[in-house]
Amino acid sequence: MSHASQPMKLFVENGRFEIDPTEPDADESPDIQPPLGEPVNGLIAVTRNAAGIHTGIKKGNVHLEARLCNAEPALDVSDWDEVIDTTFTSTTGHALIGSYEHALDLNVAHQGPGSYRLRLHARGRDSEPGASRRRNSKPTEHYLFHIWPAPAAPETVHKATDTVGHALRTRLAAMSERGAKWSLDDWAGPLTVAVIDGTFSLRDPEAQTSPRPAGLVSTEKDWALVTTRTSPGTVTVTLHPADRDPRPDPLQWDEIEQAVVRSTTGHLVLCSADGPTKECEGAALHGPRQYGIRVHARRTANGEEYLVQTWVHGKK
């Protein structure tokens, strides 16, 4: 081993940090082609000169360390939730692991331009998924990089056990199966929602009048109620807010039902009987107005799954 970074706190935003080839004081970044895609392995996406790492938190500090090696180090997965080997290619011989204004003071392309093997270890992504923390927050997520020069080789997943990675892999696989043209940011989920009374909802938490359950989806002003078969227990919900009607999902569902809900406040969030879920994902993206809502439901070996689409419907 030639060198190791000092462990540091790294402040991340938008649920990710990166390997960036831009040198200090450079006028522009080196060519990154093809464009950086989504992390279909649930943890890291790699393209020439760059990589993106998916975190559990949306915003806050993570613990980061990198070790530069001359050859492949011994594999140890015992203390980690996810461990993946992938290939990283640098055409410039310069690459830093960082996020926005902060980065490790360590060039991971440590033997100049060429091909490197990158082993990324991660743990703690399930501790606060989706959370936004302050800059002085204590990290609950830990990442360790091992990087050594090596010819390009297929990706190897040594361990993949956290729920954040599983949810991301499931979501991206489903989008690929659908032939979806939306970006990952258009979808929220899969989210685990606790069901107490056989329902969950998209509603304004201050709304007073609940719809009377009638079928799969029922609506009142500022409230769309979805009736489940599970009670009590948990269900899996994916939200897809859209500008226009995205049409029913082409995958196999047991039941699909559509309705219209009027939001007078522009605040429709995912709720259980106890109020907003911890994800508190919203669906009224265009403020106070009328929205179409389409609920897809199915039972699988893992329980009940729901896809809820919302879109602008008619005039305000």
Side-chain angles (χ1 to χ4, degrees):
M1 183 173 295
S2 59
H3 193 62
S5 70
Q6 292 294 321
M8 69 170 287
K9 286 196 305 184
L10 179 72
F11 189 78
V12 303
E13 298 186 63
N14 298 324
R16 64 183 287 159
F17 63 97
E18 299 178 343
I19 296 179
D20 188 337
T22 306
E23 296 191 51
D25 303 320
D27 292 333
E28 59 184 26
S29 296
D31 185 38
I32 298 175
Q33 288 293 337
L36 190 61
E38 302 292 356
V40 295
N41 55 38
L43 180 60
I44 181 171
V46 179
T47 189
R48 186 176 62 181
N49 288 322
I53 296 88
H54 186 87
T55 61
I57 58 172
K58 287 186 177 179
K59 183 177 181 180
N61 287 313
V62 300
H63 182 277
L64 180 60
E65 186 177 357
R67 298 174 186 171
L68 308 184
C69 310
N70 295 319
E72 180 177 357
L75 175 67
D76 183 0
V77 303
S78 56
D79 293 330
W80 301 96
D81 302 324
E82 305 262 323
V83 181
I84 292 176
D85 285 6
T86 190
T87 293
F88 173 74
T89 301
S90 172
T91 64
T92 65
H94 181 86
L96 299 180
I97 304 171
S99 177
Y100 300 95
E101 72 269 29
H102 298 295
L104 285 177
D105 186 18
L106 189 71
N107 180 15
V108 300
H110 56 104
Q111 295 197 16
S115 177
Y116 293 84
R117 201 65 172 159
L118 184 158
R119 177 172 296 156
L120 176 57
H121 311 66
R123 68 169 177 263
R125 293 196 299 171
D126 288 346
S127 57
E128 296 179 290
S132 293
R133 302 289 305 280
R134 296 180 179 179
R135 285 186 175 269
N136 61 355
S137 61
K138 181 179 179 180
T140 57
E141 298 183 27
H142 296 252
Y143 298 87
L144 169 64
F145 291 81
H146 286 161
I147 300 137
W148 65 96
E155 181 178 277
T156 303
V157 177
H158 297 291
K159 193 173 184 180
T161 59
D162 67 26
T163 57
V164 167
H166 173 73
L168 186 57
R169 288 187 291 272
T170 300
R171 183 171 165 193
L172 289 170
M175 289 175 66
S176 176
E177 186 177 355
R178 292 177 173 98
K181 297 180 181 179
W182 310 289
S183 76
L184 186 63
D185 293 336
D186 293 322
W187 295 71
L191 307 170
T192 300
V193 177
V195 173
I196 300 171
D197 62 349
T199 68
F200 67 89
S201 59
L202 287 176
R203 64 181 174 91
D204 183 335
E206 302 300 322
Q208 300 297 313
T209 305
S210 171
R212 181 175 297 175
L216 180 59
V217 57
S218 314
T219 62
E220 270 285 355
K221 183 176 63 177
D222 295 315
W223 202 316
L225 186 73
V226 179
T227 302
T228 67
R229 296 181 183 180
T230 297
S231 180
T234 61
V235 299
T236 300
V237 180
T238 298
L239 301 181
H240 177 207
D243 294 329
R244 289 178 283 183
D245 183 355
R247 304 303 177 191
D249 188 80
L251 301 189
Q252 183 64 46
W253 296 90
D254 299 332
E255 191 176 0
I256 301 176
E257 193 169 309
Q258 184 172 316
V260 175
V261 58
R262 175 166 291 281
S263 172
T264 65
T265 63
H267 194 45
L268 293 176
V269 299
L270 184 62
C271 296
S272 67
D274 288 336
T277 63
K278 67 178 181 179
E279 293 88 2
C280 201
E281 294 287 352
L285 301 185
H286 293 269
R289 63 171 306 129
Q290 191 166 268
Y291 292 87
I293 180 169
R294 182 181 295 115
V295 180
H296 308 64
R298 66 184 171 197
R299 295 181 69 88
T300 72
N302 296 320
E304 287 186 57
E305 295 181 359
Y306 293 85
L307 169 65
V308 182
Q309 299 170 326
T310 55
W311 65 93
V312 171
H313 186 277
K315 298 179 180 180
K316 287 188 176 182

